[in-house]
Amino acid sequence: MLFNSLGFLYVFLPVTYLVFWHLTGKTSRYLCLAISGYVFYSFWNYKFCSLMLFSTAVSYLAGLGLLRWEEPLRRRLCVVVPVATDLALLGFFKYANFVVTNVNGVSSWLGGQLTLPLLDIVLPVGISFYTFHTITYILYSYRRVITPTRDFVEFAAYVSLFPQLVAGPIVRFRQIEQDFSNIDRAGNASLDIGWSFFVIGLVKKVLLADTIAAVIDPAFARYSELSTVSVWLCVLGYTYQLYFDFSGYSDMAVGLGYLFGFRLPQNFNSPYKATDMADLWRRWHISLSAFFRDYVYIPLGGSRGSRLATYRNLIITMLLCGLWHGANWIFIVWGVYNGLLLVLHQMVRGTWERLPLGTRRATTFGLWVVGLVLFRSAGFDMASTLLRRMFAWRAGAGVVGVNVLVVTLVLAAAAAHWGPNTFEMRHQWSPAWVAGFAMAFGMCLFALYGSRPAPYLYFQF
């Protein structure tokens, strides 16, 4: 089910909201959230609900073990077993065919006869996100940052919390632990803030991201025919589409959290205002960047060693970040590209910071745009073609709907580069505020009535 679907807006959300706030007591509300999460997930594929339930049960039992045992060996087992189980499941569904394809390729290159069959695997939506939720829960419990819950229904509600279930943000249990504790208090919900965030996110997704996608997706399908100007328009279009698509989802998730009394963390902080690549990654998909910082970069040594060790740690971290985004070599190259840019920033940081602010922002944005050519491309042939067209003039086909694209890009650029992000806005309702949001919501509904709701780009990760 999609946040931008009429079924969600007209049925799922109002029914869940009314039932949740009609109930009293913690257990009944935990149960309502857990059931609603599984119902929400089952609209994509109900068969994979059992996989999420299994992961939830394993992590819950490990948490009970950490509560009960003080012996170091048993405590380590309570970490190793659930984390290894979660990573094994994630690795199988996300990377099994990638490994098989590469093993077959290496075998053929070496002249061998080995040909492993590709597996008929469907990647469960959201598996990366709820896996990271359970992993952070176990690690924080082991480090005694949090006290594991004894209430299975509460933990199931946390893992399956539908606002952030399938595309984040990655919410660590300690960030909303207090909200779960106070779930039986009726005054926790913030209808004005929640609805404001939700509508802003819906506008980003439906009116900006999806409008851009409707123009550039057909153009990318015939990328080899496009002119240099057309390629630049499409790549810039994708740059804004990706941002407004994902930040729109994150805003909607935060808004839904407020409606049910949860304060989900900020996931985007105006990344296109960044002054360098390190700054951009601190602003982009904040919960994922923080996860890789805390569980990959710092354990590798972070910046505590020599310069070469720091550079190595940056590249390895970003390589794994690229691999997380997709089981494909082009995502790995995209990750390494960003790692090299972070290394370059470390090397020239003193000189870089003396440049004018506008120059630093424009250069950072340009480097990000170039990298997104890899991110958008289906393969290296497509990426190399697009990059050659961008930097070597060539005539060719135009973009159908270019006028709509240009107008939308101007609006998107103004909002992304100079406008406040959603967390910087005031969300206190006034008559003018309510009227404006009602009009924006009505425009989104009008757009949704005219077409099928478009999935979010990060569902594939």
Side-chain angles (χ1 to χ4, degrees):
M1 182 175 287
L2 301 171
F3 293 164
N4 55 320
S5 66
L6 297 178
F8 179 85
L9 295 171
Y10 286 159
V11 180
F12 182 88
L13 178 57
V15 169
T16 304
Y17 182 85
L18 291 174
V19 171
F20 178 84
W21 289 112
H22 179 74
L23 298 170
T24 58
K26 291 183 178 181
T27 301
S28 59
R29 288 184 174 177
Y30 292 152
L31 190 60
C32 176
L33 288 176
I35 292 174
S36 65
Y38 279 87
V39 170
F40 178 84
Y41 195 78
S42 68
F43 273 87
W44 175 73
N45 191 327
Y46 70 91
K47 297 178 181 178
F48 287 110
C49 287
S50 59
L51 185 67
M52 182 166 62
L53 181 61
F54 173 75
S55 180
T56 300
V58 169
S59 299
Y60 169 74
L61 292 174
L64 292 184
L66 291 170
L67 272 176
R68 179 177 180 180
W69 294 317
E70 292 296 330
E71 183 184 348
L73 177 59
R74 288 185 173 183
R75 289 181 63 81
R76 284 195 291 270
L77 284 175
C78 286
V79 174
V80 172
V81 172
V83 171
T85 300
D86 283 337
L87 292 178
L89 289 172
L90 178 63
F92 173 76
F93 282 99
K94 198 164 185 175
Y95 302 107
N97 279 334
F98 177 67
V99 173
V100 168
T101 300
N102 282 279
V103 168
N104 289 342
V106 172
S107 175
S108 175
W109 182 69
L110 294 175
Q113 301 298 317
L114 178 64
T115 304
L116 299 175
L118 292 176
L119 304 176
D120 185 16
I121 298 176
V122 177
L123 178 64
V125 167
I127 186 173
S128 296
F129 291 96
Y130 71 70
T131 295
F132 284 179
H133 289 145
T134 55
I135 288 175
T136 56
Y137 174 82
I138 292 301
L139 293 176
Y140 272 20
S141 298
Y142 176 75
R143 297 171 184 171
R144 305 182 195 276
V145 176
I146 61 172
T147 301
T149 178
R150 297 180 183 274
D151 190 332
F152 178 75
V153 181
E154 178 187 11
F155 185 62
Y158 160 67
V159 176
S160 65
L161 191 65
F162 76 87
Q164 44 81 60
L165 175 59
V166 292
I170 299 168
V171 182
R172 306 185 192 193
F173 187 74
R174 70 170 183 174
Q175 294 176 306
I176 54 175
E177 184 178 14
Q178 192 63 40
D179 294 331
F180 269 109
S181 297
N182 297 329
I183 199 172
D184 55 334
R185 298 182 184 178
N188 283 339
S190 299
L191 182 61
D192 52 351
I193 298 177
W195 191 242
S196 177
F197 266 86
F198 186 84
V199 173
I200 290 172
L202 192 65
V203 168
K204 286 182 175 182
K205 167 61 175 171
V206 174
L207 300 186
L208 291 177
D210 289 352
T211 300
I212 294 172
V215 178
I216 67 172
D217 285 351
F220 273 126
R222 53 188 184 92
Y223 66 90
S224 60
E225 305 171 8
L226 298 178
S227 67
T228 296
V229 173
S230 297
V231 169
W232 271 104
L233 285 172
C234 288
V235 172
L236 285 172
Y238 182 71
T239 302
Y240 293 112
Q241 178 202 357
L242 182 66
Y243 170 60
F244 284 109
D245 187 280
F246 195 20
S247 69
Y249 178 95
S250 298
D251 286 346
M252 295 165 81
V254 170
L256 292 169
Y258 272 109
L259 293 180
F260 292 90
F262 294 95
R263 293 161 294 179
L264 304 186
Q266 183 177 10
N267 210 26
F268 287 86
N269 182 19
S270 302
Y272 292 168
K273 298 178 184 178
T275 57
D276 55 66
M277 291 305 296
D279 186 31
L280 189 146
W281 277 105
R282 285 190 292 268
R283 295 166 174 264
W284 178 276
H285 201 345
I286 297 169
S287 60
L288 180 69
S289 299
F291 183 92
F292 276 97
R293 179 197 65 207
D294 294 344
Y295 298 108
V296 178
Y297 179 67
I298 292 177
L300 284 173
S303 58
R304 298 188 298 273
S306 65
R307 286 189 177 183
L308 288 178
T310 299
Y311 301 160
R312 177 204 63 197
N313 298 339
L314 285 170
I315 292 176
I316 292 174
T317 300
M318 295 310 300
L319 183 154
L320 293 175
C321 180
L323 186 61
W324 176 87
H325 280 84
N328 192 311
W329 280 104
I330 201 163
F331 283 114
I332 295 175
V333 173
W334 174 78
V336 172
Y337 168 81
N338 280 276
L340 291 173
L341 290 180
L342 291 174
V343 169
L344 181 61
H345 170 253
Q346 289 278 337
M347 296 172 66
V348 301
R349 181 164 53 184
T351 303
W352 180 262
E353 291 176 351
R354 290 194 291 271
L355 296 175
L357 177 64
T359 301
R360 286 182 284 149
R361 283 185 172 176
T363 304
T364 300
F365 180 71
L367 293 171
W368 176 254
V369 170
V370 171
L372 287 186
V373 173
L374 295 169
F375 198 84
R376 176 59 177 82
S377 296
F380 289 109
D381 288 343
M382 181 177 179
S384 62
T385 298
L386 292 175
L387 288 171
R388 287 197 305 269
R389 295 285 170 85
M390 290 170 69
F391 298 104
W393 178 263
R394 175 169 172 169
V399 176
V400 178
V402 66
N403 293 334
V404 173
L405 178 61
V406 170
V407 171
T408 310
L409 288 183
V410 170
L411 294 174
H417 294 283
W418 295 283
N421 64 60
T422 316
F423 279 79
E424 295 170 337
M425 297 178 181
R426 295 186 62 187
H427 298 278
Q428 296 176 347
W429 281 3
S430 64
W433 184 266
V434 172
F437 271 73
M439 182 179 299
F441 184 66
M443 293 172 65
C444 291
L445 289 180
F446 181 79
L448 292 175
Y449 273 115
S451 60
R452 296 182 62 183
Y456 291 86
L457 294 176
Y458 259 69
F459 274 20
Q460 62 186 302
F461 307 131

